[in-house]
């Protein structure tokens, strides 16, 4: 019995037994649990944050091939280029596979190898000393999303620092903030059944998330549906559109407000829905009084007649319409109002809990309530003992009176870290602990960050590659890649209850460790691990599953488990009756009209969809209602530099993965032929891009696929870490040039910025 | 007799290269060469643009010029019409590379053998699986199967779409067909 | 859209590089040299032993087998897997021009050596170095009555070799510059002219007969005719591409305007290989009573022209595809 099985047994004692587990797994239990030989391991991906379920094929103990997990029918065996390249990352010789302690100057890339024992002890001593001398809040924590973030948060809470940050503020924070304000929670988009989709550069065909990408691609290819895309660049999603409007960068808000204006002017919206489920329509009416199609024409460049036509088209298709709020919503400082306006537009079309519209994701608990019994297993959260300390944060997130009042204290505002370190305000920061996030590529102000980094007493970074931030660390702890890690059970419910779980496909390569173990061990050494109720990930999982052997066995076997229930939209009679047919108890929730309106609940202060938000108005006067300001992203320049995603790379993370680097080794700036001609530029020319924040060099590519007043570059290049041998020094890091002023209410980093460009 | 056909729906294809990566890992393709690529071709003048996504790989000709010119019959066709290469008798004269109208062949920089897409015939299809590219395609733009079986998925796709075959004027009778891109090029 | 599908080098790679061009040149030269030797032998040889005619026959008999051997060596070296070349002789595909070429060469090459041994019978027997071969020459001698048939067969094979090199390329439909029926004719004519030039040079260098003005004139005029014949053939090649239209026409234009290969064509093939021999023939040779230096210069220019024609066709053919 290998050690992981022994631990497993230990962890399950009392609440479930390995023997029971083996019975549940059936005849191949030994094959599934033991490594070695040919087999398939079902897990989920970590090449980007979409976390698609995968099947890793192992041949002769080597992971050879990755495809989608067939048990998850939404994506089936599909996987993207990055997902497929997980194998190549796993066996990359340039991975960090041994703890490293800095020996040269910070950032010099000079290291000595150390044992885990020594490296962890070193970190524990340093962090302990700093926490003791300057207070635990003097340590800031950054992480990429997902479980890495949870592991780090647990440790930060144990240490007593409230300064916990995720990548949210440079990516999806706008909708993460605007959703609770408007709907009290997040909504899902029913791309498959929609008849009309308005897409504001939500580039699902380049920023791939297979469960959405597949559905949108199929809907877009249908003859009787319409995909309208507003984007300054002819992206792939624009190429697949039925209509493409090359909108001026940053001005989507004006377009949406004009749509709302037309609908309200002509009384063409779902008045019954608005009356029943929303508050604040009068404030909206006032706000859009003057936002006419003609008004927006000067701002967006879209003809007023087009807006009139589109408003009509959408209304006719309602409620099978989706006005898509996107994902990386970071286009202007008006981002919060843009997203709110989009939410309001959806509400006006009455598409909530409707087929082809928007719906609330439903988890096991929701279904159990509906069916009146515990049919579907629910999970415990062993992390719930960890609470973010109530002490003030450096960015004031969640604190009354702060401009970051509405920002979750587990996610924070990344752009505030470097200034806080440099100005020692509101208090000195002495150490930075990071796991898997590359602050230097993803956050505005590379130079400022480096200056701040150099001021710190201690930096720890957990990573798999010598990423740019990691290169500046004092200690680097090598994490195993996702193909070598067992992790916790995750809720994968959407329209039916489902769970999935990351599992190791092979034993870790080199001297690497699971992030769970790294932070758990660090907490133990520092004797701050009172809240940890588990020692190993197996124990963690068993606690989550509440000792449910069957659930765990099914997850180990298939990586994904779901329970077939009829799809349910509360406001669709057809679906409600189908559901009730199968689960008669649910009839108690059905209204006279055949819907389940009592289930359509919004966890906002008013319990309704808040088209106007009193709480926002109170905290940040003027922001409670949509208003058209702060759309400028040119800042006096003739050109705006935008950035976006490519299907080949994930943010700043994969440029050094050989196969992906071979396919896309650089990222030139897109420039319109007319713009290029004026400046004497041709494809391949080296250019200087500059504004008041920074200057940087890049190559250009002349293409018709972009507005004359815009430039575009795929994000993630311009690495300054010599440890990333394949991509070091190639391309432009747009973050360097960004304006540090962030968007109101949601504190989003803005990734459109005015620049000048000339031949270098 | 089976007739394996692959259809690439250019309307669904988003040029994400998932197929290409899967192909490389499945077939251990050497660095620097590709059995399969999807090329994006943007055409037109702003804002009247169109981007076509074109699959570039062996099209499995029924009348294969590569098989015809091969002096040792190392390039051959299976009964199912799959064009393969017997590496043991290939001298790597590269005549087939030059003869292929689809530029689908290359010289492996390490083994010097001639490389090309095989529809994953021996490693997957023969065992009842789909080719790697078809398996992973995020948008299901690829369909593969036996066109002589009227119930197969690929037969349905062929029956319900207008299928084009690349350079069909050459008389090579490819078994990789495509549904032409209909999107783009007509914006205001 | 910027490239995100990886290197496209494999689509523009030159799969048949310089060794193939040289091989094509040597094969044509070999065949030409043999043809001249045989023509001279049949028409002029009887009563003129130890003359320039004799030197021509000897030069052809030695140049033919050596040139083809060197060419074949290059051909094998250029294979991706040179050590497995023997499969070419074990496995046949009769619809492949390459297989047909292998078969022709498998007969042509030994017979060209046989021809050399017949011609150099005395020299072999008298040579200390080569006398060990005398049993073979004696054996060949015993079949003397068949010698004429061997020569006829060799003549046919030489024509086949010269033309097959053209067919080898013209079978490639994808490349417009190659995919033309003119190519075998062009290669035959230019192979013939290179054979004359090579034979004169080799003959003058190693088998000095009396430099008879009439005989040299005969050969040079013959070569001049071959060159003059090359002009319409080349014109036909490009006119053919032009009238084929589309990709082929574009390929033709690309080829003769290409910065490197266009230059190679106009300066190498046309100016050096065609115009200058004509000029020399029309001026120097006429006025200087066939002084050796001009003869040698003339022959070298012809050879340079022919080798550059092969380079031009091989490289421009692969690069200038009209796409």
């Amino acid at each position: 019995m290998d050690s992981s099985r022994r631990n497993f047994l230990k962890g399950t004692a009392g609440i479930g037994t390995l023997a029971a587990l083996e019975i549940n797994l059936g005849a191949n239990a030994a094959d599934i649990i033991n490594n070695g030989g040919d087999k398939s391991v079902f897990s989920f991906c970590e090449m980007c944050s979409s976390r698609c379920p995968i099947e890793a094929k192992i041949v002769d103990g080597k992971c050879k091939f990755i495809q989608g997990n067939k048990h998850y029918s939404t994506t089936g065996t599909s996987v993207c280029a990055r997902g497929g390249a997980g194998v190549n990352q796993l066996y990359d010789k340039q991975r960090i596979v041994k703890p490293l302690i800095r020996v040269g100057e910070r950032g010099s890339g000079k290291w000595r190898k150390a044992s885990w024992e020594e490296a962890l002890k070193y970190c524990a001593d340093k962090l302990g000393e700093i926490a003791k001398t300057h207070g635990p809040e003097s340590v800031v924590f950054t992480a990429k999303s997902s479980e890495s973030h949870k592991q780090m948060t647990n440790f930060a809470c144990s240490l007593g620092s409230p300064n916990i940050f995720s990548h949210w503020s440079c990516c999806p924070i706008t909708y993460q903030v605007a959703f609770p304000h408007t709907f009290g929670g997040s909504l899902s988009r029913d791309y498959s059944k929609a008849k009309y989709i308005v897409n504001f550069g939500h580039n699902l065909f380049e920023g791939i998330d297979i469960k959405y990408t597949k559905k949108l691609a199929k809907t877009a290819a249908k003859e009787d549906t319409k995909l309208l895309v507003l984007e300054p660049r002819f992206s792939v999603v624009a190429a697949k559109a039925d209509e493409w409007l090359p909108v001026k960068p940053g001005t989507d808000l004006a377009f949406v407000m004009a749509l709302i204006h037309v609908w309200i002017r002509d009384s063409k919206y779902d008045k019954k829905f608005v009356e029943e489920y929303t508050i604040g329509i009068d404030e909206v009416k006032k706000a859009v009084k003057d936002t006419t199609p003609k008004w927006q024409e000067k701002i967006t460049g879209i003809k007023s007649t087009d807006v009139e036509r589109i408003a009509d088209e959408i209304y006719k298709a309602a409620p099978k319409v989706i006005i898509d709020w996107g994902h990386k919503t970071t286009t202007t400082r008006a981002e919060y109002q843009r997203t709110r306006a989009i939410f309001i537009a959806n509400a006006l079309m009455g598409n909530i809990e409707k087929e082809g519209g928007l719906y609330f994701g439903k988890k096991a608990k929701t279904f159990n309530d509906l069916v009146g019994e515990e049919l579907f297993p629910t999970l415990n959260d062993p992390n719930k003992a960890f609470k973010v300390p109530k002490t003030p944060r450096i960015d004031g997130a969640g604190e009354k009176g702060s401009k970051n009042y509405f920002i979750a204290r587990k996610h924070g505002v990344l752009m505030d870290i470097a200034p806080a370190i440099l100005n020692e305000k509101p208090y000195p920061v002495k150490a930075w602990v990071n796991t898997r996030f590359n602050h230097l590529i993803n956050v505005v102000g590379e130079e400022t960050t480096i200056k701040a980094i150099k001021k710190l007493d201690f930096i720890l970074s957990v990573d798999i590659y010598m990423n740019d931030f990691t290169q500046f660390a004092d200690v680097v702890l090598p994490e195993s890649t996702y193909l070598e890690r067992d992790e916790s059970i995750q809720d994968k419910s959407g329209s039916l209850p489902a769970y999935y779980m990351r599992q190791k496909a092979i034993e870790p390569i080199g001297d690497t460790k699971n992030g769970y173990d790294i932070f758990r061990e660090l907490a133990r050494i520092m004797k701050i691990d009172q809240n940890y109720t588990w020692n190993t990930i197996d124990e963690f999982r068993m606690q989550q599953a509440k000792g449910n052997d069957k659930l765990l066995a099914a997850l180990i076997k298939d990586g994904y488990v779901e329970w077939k229930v009829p799809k349910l939209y509360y406001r669709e009679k057809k679906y409600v009756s189908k559901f009730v047919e199968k689960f008669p108890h649910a009839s108690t929730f059905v209204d006279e009209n055949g819907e389940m309106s009592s289930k359509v609940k919004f966890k906002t202060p008013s319990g309704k969809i808040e088209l106007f938000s009193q709480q926002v108005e109170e905290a940040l006067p003027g922001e409670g209602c949509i208003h058209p300001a702060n759309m400028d992203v040119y800042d006096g320049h003739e050109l705006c530099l935008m950035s976006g995603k490519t299907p080949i790379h994930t943010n700043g993370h994969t440029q050094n993965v050989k196969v992906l680097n071979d396919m896309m080794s650089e990222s030139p700036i897109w420039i319109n032929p007319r713009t290029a001609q004026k400046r004497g530029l041709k494809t391949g020319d080296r250019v200087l891009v500059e504004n008041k924040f920074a200057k940087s060099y890049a190559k250009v590519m002349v293409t018709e696929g972009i507005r004359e007043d815009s430039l575009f570059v795929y994000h993630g290049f311009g690495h300054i870490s010599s440890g990333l041998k394949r991509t070091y020094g190639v391309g432009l890091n747009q973050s360097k040039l960004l304006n540090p002023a962030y968007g109101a209410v949601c504190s989003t980093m803005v990734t459109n910025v005015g620049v000048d460009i000339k031949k270098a | 007799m089976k007739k394996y056909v692959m259809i690439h729906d250019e309307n669904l294809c988003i040029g994400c290269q998932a197929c290409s990566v899967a192909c490389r890992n499945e077939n251990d393709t050497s660095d620097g060469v590709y059995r399969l690529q999807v090329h994006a071709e943007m055409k037109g003048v702003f804002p009247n643009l169109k981007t076509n996504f074109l699959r570039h790989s062996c099209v499995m000709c029924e009348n294969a010029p590569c098989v015809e010119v091969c002096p040792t019959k190392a390039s051959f066709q299976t009964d199912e019409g799959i064009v393969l290469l017997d590496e043991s008798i290939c001298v790597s004269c590269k005549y087939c590379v030059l003869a292929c109208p689809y530029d689908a062949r290359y010289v492996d920089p390490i083994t010097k053998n001639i490389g090309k897409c095989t529809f994953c015939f021996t490693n997957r299809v023969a065992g009842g699986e789909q080719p790697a590219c078809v398996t992973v395609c995020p948008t299901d733009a690829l369909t593969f199967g036996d066109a002589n079986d009227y119930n197969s998925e690929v037969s349905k796709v062929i029956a319900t779409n207008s299928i084009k075959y690349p350079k069909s004027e050459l008389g090579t009778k490819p078994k990789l067909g495509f549904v032409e891109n209909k999107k783009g090029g007509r914006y205001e | 859209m910027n490239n995100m599908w990886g290197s496209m080098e494999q689509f523009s790679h030159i799969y048949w590089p310089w060794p193939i061009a040289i091989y094509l040149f040597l094969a044509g030269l070999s065949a030409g040299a043999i043809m001249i030797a045989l023509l001279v032998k049949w028409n002029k040889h009887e009563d003129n032993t130890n003359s320039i005619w004799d030197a021509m026959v000897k030069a052809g008999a030695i140049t033919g087998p050596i040139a083809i051997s060197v060419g074949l060596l290059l051909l094998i070296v250029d294979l991706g897997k040179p050590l497995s070349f023997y499969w070419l002789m074990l496995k046949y595909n009769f619809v492949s021009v390459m297989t047909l070429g292998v078969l022709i060469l498998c007969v042509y090459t030994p017979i060209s050596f046989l021809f050399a041994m017949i011609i150099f019978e005395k020299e072999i027997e008298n040579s200390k170095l080569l006398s060990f071969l005398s049993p073979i020459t004696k054996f060949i001698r015993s079949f003397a009555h068949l010698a004429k048939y061997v020569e006829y067969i060799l003549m046919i094979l030489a024509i086949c070799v010269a033309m097959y090199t053209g067919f080898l390329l013209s079978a490639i439909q994808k490349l417009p510059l190659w995919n033309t029926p003119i190519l075998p004719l062009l290669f035959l004519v230019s192979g013939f002219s290179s054979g004359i030039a090579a034979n004169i040079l080799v003959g003058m260098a190693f088998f000095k007969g009396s430099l008879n003005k009439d005989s040299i004139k005969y050969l040079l005029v013959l070569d001049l005719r071959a060159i003059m014949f090359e002009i319409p053939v080349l014109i036909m090649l490009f006119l053919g591409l032009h009238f084929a239209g589309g990709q082929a026409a574009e390929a033709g234009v690309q080829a003769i305007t290409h910065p490197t290969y266009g230059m190679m064509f106009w300066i190498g093939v046309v100016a050096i290989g065609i115009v200058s021999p004509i000029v020399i023939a029309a001026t120097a040779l006429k006025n200087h009573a066939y002084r050796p230096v001009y003869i040698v210069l003339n022959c070298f220019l012809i050879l340079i022209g022919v080798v550059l024609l092969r380079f031009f066709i091989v490289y421009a053919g692969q690069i200038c595809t009209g796409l």
Side-chain angles (χ1 to χ4, degrees), chain B residues 67-140:
Chain B
V67 171
E68 205 167 286
V69 302
C70 178
T72 63
K73 292 194 177 165
S75 278
F76 69 101
Q77 217 157 9
T78 68
D79 294 340
E80 297 88 351
I82 308 287
V83 178
L84 296 178
L85 194 91
D86 180 350
E87 293 183 350
S88 68
I89 56 168
C90 171
V91 298
S92 193
C93 69
K94 296 156 275 189
Y95 205 21
C96 57
V97 183
L98 293 169
C100 174
Y102 304 95
D103 288 331
R105 293 179 163 234
Y106 59 85
V107 179
D108 186 292
I110 294 162
T111 65
K112 304 295 176 191
N113 279 312
I114 304 303
K116 69 180 275 291
C117 163
T118 60
F119 276 7
C120 291
F121 184 67
T122 49
N123 42 342
R124 291 178 79 100
V125 174
E129 284 181 279
Q130 296 268 301
C133 53
V134 180
T135 302
V136 304
C137 178
T139 58
D140 303 333

Side-chain angles (χ1 to χ4, degrees), chain B residues 28-58:
Chain B
D28 282 323
T29 313
S30 298
D31 290 343
V33 286
Y34 294 80
R35 289 182 176 205
L36 157 65
Q37 283 181 340
V38 175
H39 297 161
E41 269 183 17
M42 197 186 284
K43 287 179 174 167
V45 176
F46 183 94
N48 298 302
L49 297 166
K50 188 178 179 85
T51 301
N52 295 327
F53 294 99
L54 309 166
R55 179 181 162 113
H56 200 113
S57 75
C58 176

Side-chain angles (χ1 to χ4, degrees), chain C residues 121-163:
Chain C
E121 187 188 356
K122 279 196 197 100
E123 283 83 351
I124 290 170
E125 280 168 8
N126 295 336
S127 153
K128 274 183 198 154
L129 220 64
L130 299 170
S131 57
F132 72 94
L133 291 170
S134 47
I136 302 175
T137 51
K138 286 211 176 72
F139 178 73
I140 294 169
R141 184 86 214 154
S142 63
F143 293 96
H145 58 288
L146 297 176
K148 205 75 195 166
Y149 297 107
V150 171
E151 288 176 11
Y152 291 146
I153 292 169
L154 187 57
M155 184 58 148
I156 293 166
L157 286 170
I159 294 170
C160 288
V161 167
M163 291 187 75

Side-chain angles (χ1 to χ4, degrees), chain A residues 189-205:
Chain A
R189 293 155 286 212
D190 186 12
Y191 289 123
S192 324
K193 295 280 172 63
K195 290 285 174 211
Y196 203 113
I197 299 172
V198 186
N199 176 304
F200 298 93
H202 184 196
N203 196 359
L204 280 170
F205 298 156

